[in-house]
Structure formats: structure tokens, C-alpha cells
Amino acid sequence: MRVFKVPYDIKREEKIFGGYLSLRQVTYLMLSASSLSILATHLLMSFKILFIALISIFFLLCSFFKVNEQNFDKFFFYALKYLFRKKKFVFGRYCLW
């Protein structure tokens, strides 16, 4: 039985939808579009528009924006993990009096 090496690129995502969008991007675009469901709530229209804009901008950043060749969603989760991790302070000032 012949064995062939299958070339694959770990650094890039597979563009499944039309050759332009990956599954991750389509998921974030669907979440961005589903933010329009806020229109069915009983809030003031200005609050609805503000919430829809914030949620849509965040999910659009997650789907298309890159920070130093790293997707924004991974960068955001790494930042959250850094902020909420348990920190050790090795060097500190100690008052002896």
C-alpha cells in the first residue's frame, strides 16, 4: 500500500463558503445579523440602535480583523484570560515597622 503525504496548512483556515469565508467567519456574521432580534424588545429606540451597533461591530471585528496575523477573537480571549488569571506577585515591598 502506497502512503502519500497530504499537504495541509495549519496557519490558514479553509475557505469553505465561496472560497472567501471560513466557517468561523460565517458563524460570527450570523451572530452579528442575529443582533437585530433586539428590535423586538421593549426598549427605547436609541438603546436598541446602540446595542445593535456594539454587538455587530464586535462580531464583525471577530470575523475579519487581525492583530499581528492573529484573529481578533483569539486575541480577545487571550486578553480576557490574562486579565482574569490568578497572578503571583513575587517581588514586593515589605514594611518592617
Side-chain angles (χ1 to χ4, degrees), residues 89-97:
F89 296 104
V90 177
F91 300 106
R93 292 187 189 182
Y94 297 103
C95 184
L96 297 175
W97 41 279

Side-chain angles (χ1 to χ4, degrees), residues 1-2 4 6-8 16 22-23 27 36 41-42 44 50 52 55 58-59 62 69-73 78 80 82 97:
M1 180 174 177
R2 297 177 84 182
F4 295 100
V6 178
Y8 57 91
I16 298 172
S22 65
L23 183 62
T27 304
L36 293 174
T41 61
H42 296 291
L44 293 175
L50 179 68
I52 290 171
I55 292 170
F58 176 74
F59 284 129
C62 285
E69 297 298 322
Q70 184 177 19
N71 294 327
F72 180 77
D73 56 347
Y78 288 151
L80 281 179
Y82 174 76
W97 41 279

Side-chain angles (χ1 to χ4, degrees), residues 29-50:
L29 286 174
M30 288 172 47
L31 288 171
S32 176
S34 68
S35 69
L36 293 174
S37 65
I38 294 175
L39 290 174
T41 61
H42 296 291
L43 294 173
L44 293 175
M45 186 56 77
S46 58
F47 288 133
K48 290 179 185 180
I49 292 172
L50 179 68

